[in-house]
Amino acid sequence: MLGEYCELRLPIHYELHWLIAYISLAFVGLFYAIFGYRLWRLTMFITSFSLGTLLLYIILSTQPTMTEPQLIGVSCSIALLFGLINILLQYVGLFINGFTFGLILSIITFIIWDIKHRANGITTSFWLIIGLILMLGLLCAILTLRFQKFMLIITSSCLGGVCHVLVLDYFLQLSILLRFIHKRLLFELTSTLCIRHWIIVFILPIVMLFGIVIQYSCTGKDYDHRDSWHRVISAGKKRYKSANLNKIRRHYEQDTLRKQIIPDESNRFRYLYQIRRANGDALSSDFIQNVRQQSSTVVRMTNNNNNNNNNNNNNPSSINTTGKASTRKDTDSTTTTLTHLI
């Protein structure tokens, strides 16, 4: 069995449905590595859908009454709903993405630990994988919620590397590595793999590094997923034209006339009242006082004219002169008052 495993022989025949599935998986890996953060909602959907389908398939496979097409149909249907929920609920999707990254790290750690124990003749405990999944999964999920952009790029790049490892494992050795990991997770007896089987694993850090560099320098540069989320939420709402407050504030600060009129910011309401008063929006107290003084002057002059008329009744020669003068003064005072009012 060991000689069969270590023999370098490429497969010739591939099954059609698995060939289509792994080619699709290769494109998904490229999407993860290049556009994983830029299209982060689609990334969360694919991750949640794949994880939900896998878990549901494992759980439902224990039912002997269900056939293979029924298992796949039910798993995909429920996982589709699970993926849509993760898109709509942002923090749930981020938590699932982080947990998936922790799940991959826990599986890698378990396989390394298991190989080391098997070489020393020690049986690996069942609770080791459970503890690793809970500890690393929750830790990565919390880190994803805290450092969203950094962890989304790391997670998507790692998932892209895992997808390409699975694709190369199928096309080069018909998924020998995948079957080995699956059996060890179920604690079944397996044969020891050769070095050439594990060389494929080195594609994981290469693709992961490639995805991180591409997303940080190109696709994810000057992009914030939180802004895009707010645009999606407000897409169905009616948009109103709003004032550009930054532009108004910039012109307001650069206005030299404002600095001359309002030198002190603490007295801006007092100077604002003075500006309104100068533009005619408000009447000043001085103007009202002048109108009152002129009105009192008119009344005083009228009383004096009446007294003069009474005194001149005995002197007819001065009646016309005094009447003309008083009429002229009344007209001038009335004209002055109307001019101020206008």
Side-chain angles (χ1 to χ4, degrees):
M1 194 69 179
L2 183 61
E4 182 182 354
Y5 271 11
C6 294
E7 184 181 356
L8 183 59
R9 184 177 57 186
L10 296 178
I12 300 175
H13 302 288
Y14 300 99
E15 297 182 7
L16 181 60
H17 60 282
W18 286 115
L19 183 64
I20 296 174
Y22 278 100
I23 291 176
S24 303
L25 187 63
F27 285 106
V28 172
L30 287 175
F31 167 78
Y32 271 130
I34 299 175
F35 301 104
Y37 178 69
R38 186 75 179 192
L39 303 175
W40 63 285
R41 287 184 295 273
L42 186 57
T43 300
M44 291 195 304
F45 174 78
I46 296 175
T47 304
S48 304
F49 177 78
S50 303
L51 183 62
T53 303
L54 180 62
L55 294 178
L56 288 171
Y57 183 84
I58 293 174
I59 294 172
L60 295 176
S61 61
T62 57
Q63 300 294 329
T65 57
M66 298 184 68
T67 60
E68 190 74 17
Q70 291 176 348
L71 287 173
I72 296 175
V74 173
S75 301
C76 292
S77 300
I78 301 176
L80 179 63
L81 179 62
F82 185 61
L84 293 175
I85 291 174
N86 287 309
I87 290 179
L88 297 175
L89 300 178
Q90 176 184 0
Y91 291 102
V92 176
L94 292 173
F95 185 88
I96 295 300
N97 261 32
F99 187 82
T100 305
F101 180 62
L103 178 64
I104 294 172
L105 292 181
S106 62
I107 291 175
I108 295 174
T109 306
F110 172 76
I111 293 300
I112 295 174
W113 191 279
D114 181 70
I115 292 175
K116 181 180 179 180
H117 278 196
R118 289 183 67 185
N120 296 329
I122 303 174
T123 304
T124 306
S125 174
F126 169 77
W127 296 104
L128 176 63
I129 184 63
I130 302 299
L132 287 174
I133 291 175
L134 291 177
M135 182 177 65
L136 294 179
L138 292 177
L139 178 61
C140 293
I142 294 172
L143 290 176
T144 303
L145 292 176
R146 178 62 182 87
F147 308 100
Q148 297 183 9
K149 182 176 181 178
F150 173 76
M151 290 301 296
L152 278 174
I153 292 176
I154 296 296
T155 303
S156 59
S157 301
C158 180
L159 289 173
V162 170
C163 291
H164 284 94
V165 167
L166 295 177
V167 170
L168 290 178
D169 183 39
Y170 175 75
F171 282 104
L172 295 180
Q173 52 192 13
L174 290 178
S175 300
I176 291 178
L177 186 62
L178 179 61
R179 289 198 297 267
F180 173 81
I181 295 174
H182 177 252
K183 289 182 179 180
R184 288 314 305 156
L185 290 175
L186 296 178
F187 293 94
E188 296 179 1
L189 294 178
T190 56
S191 301
T192 304
L193 298 183
C194 300
I195 298 298
R196 76 174 188 89
H197 297 123
W198 296 104
I199 294 178
I200 301 175
V201 179
F202 289 101
I203 198 65
L204 174 60
I206 295 174
V207 175
M208 188 174 177
L209 182 62
F210 169 78
I212 292 172
V213 172
I214 288 295
Q215 293 187 66
Y216 263 113
S217 60
C218 298
T219 58
K221 186 178 180 181
D222 299 329
Y223 177 78
D224 192 353
H225 65 284
R226 287 164 289 194
D227 294 337
S228 64
W229 179 256
H230 292 311
R231 285 196 296 267
V232 169
I233 293 299
S234 60
K237 298 181 181 180
K238 185 177 180 180
R239 300 194 178 190
Y240 297 93
K241 186 177 180 181
S242 59
N244 191 348
L245 298 180
N246 292 328
K247 185 177 180 180
I248 294 173
R249 191 179 295 111
R250 185 167 57 252
H251 286 291
Y252 185 71
E253 292 175 354
Q254 294 176 356
D255 191 3
T256 57
L257 180 61
R258 172 188 171 273
K259 295 180 180 179
Q260 296 175 0
I261 297 176
I262 311 176
D264 189 6
E265 194 70 22
S266 62
N267 297 327
R268 56 195 179 101
F269 291 106
R270 181 168 61 87
Y271 286 103
L272 178 62
Y273 177 75
Q274 293 180 3
I275 295 171
R276 290 182 58 199
R277 190 176 63 193
N279 293 331
D281 296 336
L283 295 176
S284 64
S285 59
D286 296 335
F287 177 74
I288 296 173
Q289 186 177 0
N290 290 331
V291 171
R292 289 176 180 176
Q293 290 177 358
Q294 291 172 4
S295 299
S296 62
T297 304
V298 170
V299 173
R300 193 181 304 111
M301 292 177 63
T302 304
N303 293 330
N304 293 331
N305 289 331
N306 291 331
N307 293 329
N308 291 329
N309 290 331
N310 291 332
N311 294 328
N312 291 329
N313 287 330
N314 298 324
N315 190 3
S317 62
S318 62
I319 293 175
N320 295 330
T321 304
T322 307
K324 292 180 180 180
S326 64
T327 304
R328 188 180 297 110
K329 291 181 179 179
D330 293 342
T331 305
D332 294 340
S333 63
T334 305
T335 305
T336 305
T337 304
L338 292 176
T339 302
H340 284 290
L341 286 173
I342 293 171

